[in-house]
Amino acid sequence: QDMLDFFIADLLEGHHAEPAYIQERCNYFHWHLDGDFRVVSLRPQSGQALEQPNLEVTLRQLEELLPSATCFVYADQIKMILPVCQNTLKDGVLFHTLIEFLTQHDLEAGISRNTESLLQLAQANLESDKALEMGQLFHSQEHLFFYDDAEMRHVGVALSEVA
């Protein structure tokens, strides 16, 4: 599992851009994503880093709660690669479950737009981090923040006017 986590971390950082290599590694790890997915970044609502004992417990609880997700520790956050449900109702149930978990554990999460290729994982990772950052800035009482191009452009314009 650790080697898979390192491989995914490399993808999150944009270190692999060769489709054949990525496919070979995915086959080696028996890790396959069928369909679109999202990257989710989780951290404590306080903005502090998750401490090691709590980090592992929270990670295991998330894996049990969302078995279709790939969960791992990345720097001071928990990251998830979350498959997109083809059914809107199932997606809604998934998000409701995630929001309940975040609320119970005083966590918050940013979610990227749907992504269809591991080649775009680094961009999705940036989107999830940006959603988390902007969500905390503008909606601090909520627990789940979605990346939205229009909202991010609006924020960018507003911040540039302040500067």
Side-chain angles (χ1 to χ4, degrees):
Q1 181 65 34
D2 286 342
M3 289 180 62
L4 174 59
D5 292 352
F6 287 124
F7 171 64
I8 296 171
D10 279 349
L11 291 173
L12 288 174
E13 294 169 3
H15 292 293
H16 300 298
E18 185 62 41
Y21 174 79
I22 292 171
Q23 186 61 50
E24 177 187 311
R25 298 282 35 165
C26 288
N27 290 341
Y28 175 80
F29 293 118
H30 305 286
W31 184 61
H32 302 283
L33 296 171
D34 298 322
D36 291 357
F37 56 90
R38 300 174 181 105
V39 174
V40 183
S41 300
L42 290 93
R43 71 173 183 208
Q45 216 170 11
S46 65
Q48 302 297 314
L50 282 166
E51 298 298 323
Q52 192 57 28
N54 292 338
L55 190 64
E56 292 300 321
V57 169
T58 304
L59 183 67
R60 298 302 161 237
Q61 290 172 337
L62 270 171
E63 289 172 335
E64 287 177 23
L65 186 67
L66 303 169
S68 64
T70 302
C71 306
F72 54 96
V73 175
Y74 179 79
D76 62 346
Q77 297 179 342
I78 291 177
K79 297 281 184 173
M80 289 192 310
I81 299 176
L82 189 63
V84 174
C85 298
Q86 299 304 316
N87 179 313
T88 307
L89 183 59
K90 285 183 181 177
D91 238 8
V93 169
L94 181 92
F95 288 130
H96 179 73
T97 302
L98 182 56
I99 290 169
E100 282 183 351
F101 181 85
L102 296 171
T103 303
Q104 290 170 356
H105 294 87
D106 294 320
L107 297 170
E108 58 189 8
I111 298 183
S112 72
R113 293 178 295 167
N114 294 359
T115 304
E116 61 184 23
S117 168
L118 290 175
L119 290 171
Q120 298 164 343
L121 200 61
Q123 177 62 36
N125 183 44
L126 290 173
E127 290 175 4
S128 69
D129 285 344
K130 204 50 97 174
L132 189 55
E133 186 180 316
M134 292 297 132
Q136 181 58 40
L137 191 61
F138 294 105
H139 308 284
S140 62
Q141 298 307 309
E142 296 179 27
H143 293 273
L144 189 60
F145 312 109
F146 291 86
Y147 183 88
D148 179 320
D149 277 337
E151 185 175 317
M152 294 302 149
R153 279 195 301 273
H154 175 71
V155 169
V157 169
L159 291 177
S160 67
E161 291 174 358
V162 172

